[in-house]
Amino acid sequence: MDLHELEAIAEREQAQRARFRIFCCAAAGCQASGSLEIKRRLELVLSAAGKQADVDVVPVGCMGLCGHGPLVRLEPTGIMFERVTPADAEELVAALDQGSCNVQQCNLNHPFFTRQYPIVLRHSGRINPERIEDYIAAGGYRMLYHVIHDLTPAEVIQMITRSGLRGRGGAGYPTGLKWATVAKSPGERKFVICNADEGDPGAFMDRSVLESDPHLVLEGMAIAAYAVGAEQGFIYVRGEYPLAIERLQKAIVQARRLGLLGAQIFESGFNFRVDIRVGAGAFVCGEETALIASIEGRRGQPRPRPPYPAESGLWGMPTLINNVETFANISAIIEHGPEWFRQIGTEQSKGTKVFALTGKIRNTGLIEVPMGITLREIVEDIGDGTPDGTPVKAVQTGGPSGGCIPASLFDTPVDYESLAAVGSIMGSGGMVVMDEHTNMVDVARFYMEFCKDESCGKCIPCRVGTVQLLNLLTKLRSGQASTSDLQTIEDLCELMRETSLCGLGQSAPNPVLSTLHYFRHEYEQLIGAEVEHGG
């Protein structure tokens, strides 16, 4: 495979496309809502009308507005329809010629669409994730060719460093610095791992990217491997994502067949193999050292650091670990340049961030927005508020490791430093909206129960602390707690943050501490009610 062959594939793909295209969302969520039946019905209607040659029905990944699905988009008009049913197929086919129909249209001028800045999601909902030809026709794998033939590994690392990209897995560590550390670390072999162990409740960012655009992640991993000197990669993905796994497997086979993965990629001396490792769903395996232990066939438990994986990781060799979204940014940075990426976002948080917007919000779905956008803009403009108009009470970012931010602070910019300043974190991208009917003690208890169940048990502060905190929150919620119990909760939270071995235990108290800080009256009301009753 060389660049001319790659261009030839793209040209053939473009030439073979029908005059009209109907894109049907075939992500896991939409499949559960009947999108595949809609696709089959469309194909039957087209066949009956003798229009198969003029219209391609294309199964695509996530189209964003999940709460209004199933979604269907017509090209070249760009009209998108929401809440489609199989019974709408005849009208949709007629709309190809007529330009309109009675099926409900999405308002593409709504801030949900206009305020987004797709980089990671630029192909999502626009290509068939199970056909490598679609990805190549969209410009795929050209940046891999470019770095192999035109750039040195050091130049690639310099570009990523200058871009200001920070790891999208939650910690926000500078990506270029991590790559440079792996590149200079001595070792007989080096590895690249894609962390796709997305375990936060309500989070579906990585799953959607893998289901919608698996080759984008593979290309990013290959560029990273070239930069750090690795020849073996692993994608660690949880078993609860069967569609993502299936599409990744197909993508790897297709890329190997065309010589875009494997030996002598693009007729060079660069070799890179990618394999999938399926996790059993342990939340703690999102932590780097626990993930490495799981790939090695051991129990997924963290170990003390240093040494860090960049110096001693998989089988004791230098290992680069980034998450799905981080790798999905790489080819765009190479294509447009680091200065282009730096212009997006804030001074310290560059680029965009993908969020799964869920909870008491009208526009549930997947969004990609520039860093620095405020929580208010996301919740009120993009999310369009609560479904019934009830005032929003808080938004929780960062999953079980994050905090609950009250509506009074919704003018907070969404970037790493600003969220940390108000007691939360960026996390991998979960964003759960809560209305005024939500009890914040129940929220804290829910996340603590989750962390208790997911604790690996290796260190005492996390193993025992999560149990005791859950017991105290349950006691509080049942109206049996005293003021001293409230102080014990705070003391335990601080103890866990300071002494737990890994990020799970260190951050597990965040939902409790943030709700105590901003909604303390809800805790005190539960105590006050019991004192009055006891008198």
Side-chain angles (χ1 to χ4, degrees):
M1 171 69 69
D2 59 23
L3 186 59
H4 294 297
E5 292 175 288
L6 199 68
E7 296 289 357
I9 291 173
E11 290 175 6
R12 282 198 303 272
E13 178 65 19
Q14 294 284 2
Q16 291 171 1
R17 286 179 178 173
R19 186 162 61 100
F20 297 107
R21 306 186 89 199
I22 303 178
F23 294 102
C24 296
C25 181
C30 277
Q31 286 192 20
S33 300
S35 64
L36 294 184
E37 179 57 34
I38 294 169
K39 175 180 177 291
R40 284 191 288 267
R41 181 61 186 163
L42 283 166
E43 290 169 339
L44 287 172
V45 171
L46 289 167
S47 177
K51 293 185 175 181
Q52 308 99 308
D54 294 329
V55 185
D56 291 330
V57 181
V58 185
V60 296
C62 182
M63 298 170 77
L65 195 57
C66 306
H68 292 229
L71 304 171
V72 170
R73 188 175 67 252
L74 308 184
E75 293 292 350
T77 63
I79 299 172
M80 184 183 292
F81 300 90
E82 61 184 50
R83 297 185 172 93
V84 177
T85 69
D88 297 323
E90 287 82 359
E91 290 232 29
L92 291 172
V93 170
L96 292 169
D97 297 317
Q98 299 170 4
S100 63
C101 66
N102 293 323
V103 183
Q104 185 175 352
Q105 291 188 25
C106 292
N107 178 11
L108 299 181
N109 293 318
H110 189 279
F112 183 90
F113 298 100
T114 61
R115 295 299 304 276
Q116 294 199 46
Y117 196 124
I119 296 175
V120 170
L121 302 180
R122 63 190 183 276
H123 299 145
S124 293
R126 298 182 178 277
I127 65 171
N128 184 342
E130 298 191 7
R131 296 188 72 250
I132 192 172
E133 295 83 1
D134 254 26
Y135 180 69
I136 292 173
Y141 288 108
R142 287 168 180 77
M143 292 306 104
L144 176 59
Y145 179 91
H146 171 55
V147 300
I148 291 174
H149 287 279
D150 301 326
L151 300 175
T152 66
E155 287 173 332
V156 176
I157 293 174
Q158 186 180 37
M159 289 184 73
I160 301 303
T161 302
R162 289 208 318 269
S163 74
L165 176 65
R166 296 169 65 172
R168 297 301 195 243
Y173 191 81
T175 303
L177 180 57
K178 182 181 281 190
W179 288 24
T181 303
V182 176
K184 70 182 181 183
S185 296
E188 294 178 9
R189 302 180 67 193
K190 295 181 181 181
F191 298 97
V192 169
I193 296 176
C194 176
N195 184 348
D197 190 62
E198 181 177 57
D200 292 2
F204 50 90
M205 304 77 58
D206 292 350
R207 187 199 77 192
S208 295
V209 172
L210 293 175
E211 289 177 357
S212 305
D213 203 2
H215 288 284
L216 183 66
V217 179
L218 292 176
E219 185 173 11
M221 290 180 67
I223 292 172
Y226 173 78
V228 304
E231 293 192 350
Q232 174 68 58
F234 292 98
I235 301 177
Y236 187 89
V237 57
R238 55 180 41 231
E240 292 94 334
Y241 288 174
L243 184 60
I245 294 169
E246 177 187 336
R247 289 181 175 169
L248 274 171
Q249 289 170 333
K250 289 181 179 179
I252 291 170
V253 170
Q254 292 168 354
R256 285 176 179 167
R257 187 182 69 242
L258 293 181
L260 302 172
L261 288 177
Q264 298 179 332
I265 297 173
F266 282 122
E267 300 179 353
S268 71
F270 172 55
N271 309 315
F272 184 57
R273 173 191 173 97
V274 177
D275 292 302
I276 299 172
R277 292 293 181 267
V278 178
F283 181 66
V284 72
C285 285
E287 195 276 337
E288 291 184 343
T289 60
L291 183 153
I292 286 171
S294 182
I295 291 179
E296 291 176 345
R298 298 182 288 112
R299 183 177 180 181
Q301 289 186 319
R303 62 162 174 77
R305 299 180 296 177
Y308 291 91
E311 298 170 326
S312 178
L314 193 60
W315 294 298
M317 300 296 171
T319 303
L320 173 66
I321 305 179
N322 286 132
N323 88 322
V324 170
E325 187 179 341
T326 308
F327 283 124
N329 272 291
I330 300 303
S331 65
I333 293 173
I334 300 297
E335 180 179 4
H336 299 289
E339 285 69 30
W340 162 80
F341 193 80
R342 289 186 64 84
Q343 291 174 0
I344 309 165
T346 67
E347 182 62 30
Q348 293 179 289
S349 299
K350 305 297 184 183
T352 61
K353 183 72 188 77
V354 178
F355 289 100
L357 188 59
T358 63
K360 299 297 181 65
I361 193 76
R362 183 174 282 112
N363 291 333
T364 299
L366 199 68
I367 63 172
E368 183 174 3
V369 292
M371 292 279 200
I373 191 172
T374 65
L375 288 168
R376 188 177 308 282
E377 291 173 289
I378 292 177
V379 174
E380 296 181 2
D381 297 341
I382 294 174
D384 208 14
T386 60
D388 59 1
T390 303
V392 175
K393 184 176 188 177
V395 64
Q396 204 255 2
T397 67
S401 304
C404 298
I405 304 169
S408 60
L409 295 177
F410 275 10
D411 290 320
T412 300
V414 176
D415 60 59
Y416 292 101
E417 287 70 30
S418 298
L419 291 179
V422 296
S424 190
I425 62 172
M426 182 80 68
S428 58
M431 189 174 286
V432 182
V433 179
M434 306 164 193
D435 66 16
E436 63 179 12
H437 301 303
T438 305
N439 183 286
M440 304 312 289
V441 179
D442 285 343
V443 172
R445 187 185 178 283
F446 167 79
Y447 283 112
M448 189 52 60
E449 184 173 21
F450 177 87
C451 291
K452 176 191 74 73
D453 292 341
E454 295 295 339
S455 174
C456 73
K458 184 172 183 178
C459 74
I460 293 174
C462 181
R463 182 179 72 237
V464 178
T466 53
V467 172
Q468 294 305 316
L469 279 173
L470 178 62
N471 290 341
L472 285 166
L473 291 169
T474 302
K475 182 180 180 183
L476 182 72
R477 195 66 183 93
S478 64
Q480 299 175 354
S482 64
T483 303
S484 62
D485 289 321
L486 206 58
Q487 184 61 51
T488 302
I489 289 174
E490 292 183 279
D491 293 341
L492 264 175
C493 285
E494 292 300 330
L495 180 68
M496 285 182 62
R497 290 178 74 171
E498 296 297 326
T499 60
S500 293
L501 174 60
C502 81
L504 192 158
Q506 293 164 7
S507 61
N510 285 350
V512 180
L513 289 172
S514 62
T515 52
L516 264 171
H517 181 68
Y518 295 115
F519 305 96
R520 193 178 189 89
H521 62 281
E522 296 194 21
Y523 286 80
E524 292 174 341
Q525 284 172 356
L526 293 173
I527 294 173
E530 173 60 13
V531 170
E532 183 178 349
H533 176 75

